[in-house]
Amino acid sequence: MDKILIEGQTPLAGQVRVSGAKNAALPLMATAILSSGLLTLENVPNLRDLTTMANLLRHMGGRAELAPGRAGLDISALITPEAPYELVKTMRASALVLGPLLARWGRARVSLPGGCAIGARPIDLHLKALEAMGAIIDLDGGYVVARAPQGGLCGAHIHFDTVTVTGTENLMMAATLARGRTVITGAAREPEVTDTALALQAMGAKISGLDTDELTIDGVEALGPATHRVMPDRIEAGTLIVAAALAGGRVMISGAPHQALDPVYDKIREAGVTLTLEGDVLRVESDGPVKSTNITTRPHPGFPTDMQAQFMALMTVGHSVAMITETIFENRFMHVSELSRLGADITLEGRTAVVRGVRRLSGAPMMATDLRASASLILAALAARGQSEIARVYHLDRGYDRLDEKLMALGARIRRVRA
Ligand code: UD1
């Protein structure tokens, strides 16, 4: 297993470009199941999760070509409407194929998902909503076995009382080919939901209410070919900003989705980091002390849970005490014990981490536990004196497009040791 070695306290400098968004690319690849033509995706990041999704589409009998920056997906013939455990055990987003399979092919057999160990993460809300559209669903041997009623899924009014990102995407995709109108209230407003909706519209879907918590979808007979550019990754952009803030120096970040990042920019500015927009490029400068700043994770447009671990890394060197409250996932503090190994002073009080800033972190060996946690360990190591070693970086490769190489290009002393 690869590990990453970092020699901290080297200021960063230079320009870096943000890659396409993992959390947009995954549902976008699943939309191909709905189309009777070729879906071409541009700005596709190079990520393990996307390779898994491409393997999944191929297993079903589709054509899925991943080339640098592009994907060509054609699922106009389907052999098995199945997502087997072996393929999806590492990736919770595999549940995203359920709605499209039911809508277009009338049946699906999908392994219950794995993914990051950050909480129970059930898919009960996806299943309940599909049942409201007439789907008949059984659980059998770790699989969801589902079929659409005679004549296909029917439009329905679906209310999510917990905001679910992939749940909203799954239902929205299913509804594009259902009979009649579907209204989703309590819909997730994450920018990646909108990006998925835009691609579906380009394929011929009738969706309104984009960017709001109420989506209306009128089912159509068929969806056709389309080309779509994957939105840039707001979490990667946020991670790079914190890297610059912790290592010090001046970094220019191009291609970040600024509007989608407003809640993150606000908190990073509050923490004393200077962010300046020059056209499309964001200049990040951090010379002064880090101000301890409280955050509470919330669905968009709140502070994203996917930036919580990275923001905590920043707060470890804050000037006083920061309260970091996680409201989305119950077990998303596994980075706390690893950060403590660098000398961070963090105590957990239920869903809140109390982070008392320390003057200095010092390098240590650490273990990545999940995707965003692994990024936070790298960030903290950039600020630490001496050498850190981060094991189990396969988590990182699931969701970051060459983060270590990008940091190296900015001058970080970071090295990957291949197993
Ligand atoms: C997506 C993102 C993930 C992000 C998360 C929250 C993708 C591929 N992943 O995950 O990076 O951290 O949104 O922004 O886009 N829940 C249920 N039952 C369900 C579904 C969800 O109880 O059927 C709960 C979850 O356990 C969690 C909350 O709802 O507590 C939100 O989860 P959800 O938005 O569904 O997360 P994902 O879509 O899996």
Side-chain angles (χ1 to χ4, degrees):
M1 276 184 264
D2 291 5
K3 32 185 193 183
I4 285 182
L5 302 180
I6 296 174
E7 194 71 45
Q9 298 199 323
T10 310
L12 304 184
Q15 184 150 347
V16 59
R17 171 160 279 280
V18 175
S19 298
K22 166 179 98 70
N23 285 356
L26 283 167
L28 284 166
M29 289 178 77
T31 65
I33 299 170
L34 294 161
S35 171
S36 44
L38 175 69
L39 174 66
T40 305
L41 296 176
E42 296 169 348
N43 199 33
V44 175
N46 177 17
L47 307 173
R48 180 94 55 79
D49 271 7
L50 301 193
T51 314
T52 305
M53 188 59 115
N55 286 337
L56 186 52
L57 297 177
R58 284 185 206 118
H59 172 85
M60 292 175 188
R63 195 163 64 77
E65 281 161 19
L66 283 182
R70 284 176 82 83
L73 310 167
D74 186 348
I75 328 285
S76 43
L78 184 100
I79 298 166
T80 22
E82 187 197 62
Y85 176 68
E86 275 315 305
L87 275 177
V88 303
K89 63 184 174 194
T90 59
M91 191 181 71
R92 175 183 159 77
S94 53
L96 282 167
V97 302
L98 189 57
L101 281 175
L102 273 179
R104 175 120 189 271
W105 303 94
R107 61 209 167 90
R109 185 169 178 271
V110 175
S111 169
L112 285 167
C116 283
I118 57 176
R121 304 188 81 175
I123 57 164
D124 56 312
L125 300 173
H126 303 225
L127 302 185
K128 222 168 89 185
L130 288 167
E131 279 175 340
M133 298 181 78
I136 299 124
I137 298 180
D138 285 311
L139 293 181
D140 180 24
Y143 279 78
V144 176
V145 182
R147 64 192 159 84
Q150 200 88 46
L153 294 176
C154 331
H157 180 185
I158 285 144
H159 178 71
F160 285 117
D161 46 18
T162 300
V163 177
T164 161
V165 177
T166 50
T168 302
E169 290 160 350
N170 224 340
L171 260 288
M172 175 173 72
M173 290 189 282
T176 58
L177 292 180
R179 281 178 289 146
R181 171 168 288 192
T182 300
V183 178
I184 306 177
T185 51
R189 284 182 284 168
E190 266 64 6
E192 294 78 13
V193 176
T194 302
D195 204 42
T196 307
L198 290 172
L200 289 166
Q201 285 179 333
M203 291 157 73
K206 302 266 175 282
I207 307 174
S208 59
L210 269 58
D211 283 327
T212 75
D213 63 358
E214 180 167 329
L215 294 168
T216 302
I217 303 118
D218 286 305
V220 296
E221 283 293 313
L223 298 180
T227 297
H228 179 81
R229 189 172 173 78
V230 180
M231 69 170 286
D233 199 312
R234 61 194 167 107
I235 305 302
E236 187 203 4
T239 304
L240 289 166
I241 294 171
V242 175
L246 275 169
R250 181 203 256 214
V251 170
M252 315 290 267
I253 299 178
S254 61
H258 303 302
Q259 219 182 335
L261 275 158
D262 269 345
V264 173
Y265 286 178
D266 284 352
K267 283 295 173 181
I268 292 203
R269 285 193 171 112
E270 213 178 308
V273 180
T274 309
L275 301 179
T276 319
L277 259 183
E278 291 167 355
D280 170 47
V281 177
L282 181 76
R283 194 173 73 217
V284 187
E285 284 161 301
S286 168
D287 304 317
V290 172
K291 295 188 189 137
S292 295
T293 303
N294 300 339
I295 57 160
T296 299
T297 62
R298 301 256 183 236
H300 193 76
F303 190 91
T305 174
D306 284 350
M307 272 299 296
Q308 180 255 105
Q310 302 89 316
F311 198 81
M312 192 185 294
L314 183 60
M315 288 304 110
T316 59
V317 292
H319 73 318
S320 65
V321 183
M323 313 281 264
I324 297 194
T325 304
E326 173 59 57
T327 71
I328 311 285
F329 293 112
E330 72 273 17
N331 191 21
R332 204 170 204 181
F333 281 137
M334 284 176 306
H335 40 286
V336 167
S337 52
E338 297 301 309
L339 290 172
S340 305
R341 297 174 55 73
L342 299 182
D345 180 353
I346 309 170
T347 44
L348 286 179
E349 291 176 8
R351 292 198 146 199
T352 298
V354 181
V355 188
R356 291 182 180 78
V358 294
R359 284 196 37 215
R360 185 174 298 132
L361 300 173
S362 36
M366 290 174 282
M367 185 103 78
T369 50
D370 68 65
L371 171 55
R372 305 303 169 185
S374 41
S376 83
L377 305 186
I378 290 178
L379 298 178
L382 290 175
R385 191 165 62 176
Q387 181 167 296
S388 295
E389 178 183 306
I390 298 152
R392 296 204 180 156
V393 288
Y394 54 83
H395 289 292
L396 189 78
D397 299 332
R398 280 189 41 222
Y400 281 95
D401 186 355
R402 299 167 291 117
L403 184 65
D404 46 331
E405 286 176 34
K406 288 187 181 186
L407 291 172
M408 197 189 306
L410 292 172
R413 284 191 285 166
I414 179 167
R415 189 159 64 87
R416 179 179 287 245
V417 180
R418 300 208 177 261

